[in-house]
Amino acid sequence: MAKMTAVSDSGPLMALAKLGVLSKLFSVYPTLTISETVYHEVVTSGLAIGAKDAAEVDKFCRSKQIVIFPSKGIKEVPLNMLSELHQGEIETIKVALQLSADYAFIDDFDARQVAEENLQKMSAATTLKGTLGILVELYQKKSISKSQLKEYLEEIKRRRDIWISSRLCQKLIEALEAGVL
């Protein structure tokens, strides 16, 4: 079986670490690649303010389950930009293209649109997923239980430091309870 590649932006990494579920990600995706900029956004900036999720992500970087892709190693790829993106989002898209990644984890709506357009334009077979898609996949692959998934979705709705739509979380809870996930 070919090695699966997944590249992540800051949002999913921070959300999964804040929920305490990041370690379960590795049961489905044995290694994860992040750009150097994403590392600094999550870990360097997070540790500076004492964020627990930053320490969690750093632990997986040190164990090499999260691989840091150096910014200077990112090939220049002209991207069609529908909107302004942060440097970490741009690098995530470029690294996913450069590695022909199987998955790119991006939560931000604008960044997902730019990624989708550019992945299609370059005929890349990369699948985009966000935090919610990852949580559903962990549930479907039995890495988390139905009650855990519901608990995580409820927690996302409550937290102000995870920027995911409460409405989307509620729709997933309803689908979960209706047995369609």
Side-chain angles (χ1 to χ4, degrees), residues 74-164:
I74 298 173
K75 291 181 182 156
E76 189 48 50
V77 178
L79 296 178
N80 289 351
M81 300 289 275
L82 307 169
S83 56
E84 289 278 324
L85 300 184
H86 294 110
Q87 188 61 29
E89 295 163 340
I90 293 168
E91 287 186 5
T92 297
I93 296 165
K94 288 181 177 184
V95 170
L97 286 165
Q98 188 170 332
L99 297 178
S100 299
D102 298 295
Y103 294 91
F105 302 149
I106 301 172
D107 279 337
D108 182 81
F109 181 76
D110 290 339
R112 285 173 73 102
Q113 283 190 307
V114 169
E116 199 160 291
E117 179 179 319
N118 285 282
L119 291 166
Q120 275 182 344
K121 178 181 85 173
M122 297 181 192
S123 301
T126 305
T127 300
L128 289 175
K129 278 187 190 256
T131 299
L132 299 180
I134 293 166
L135 289 171
V136 168
E137 183 175 25
L138 291 174
Y139 164 67
Q140 291 171 335
K141 297 206 171 171
K142 304 198 182 327
S143 293
I144 61 175
S145 68
K146 182 177 183 175
S147 63
Q148 286 174 309
L149 176 56
K150 184 176 179 185
E151 188 180 306
Y152 294 136
L153 294 170
E154 292 288 358
E155 186 173 345
I156 291 169
K157 284 171 50 178
R158 282 191 309 274
R159 292 185 73 142
R160 297 291 148 239
D161 61 346
I162 298 177
W163 307 282
I164 296 174

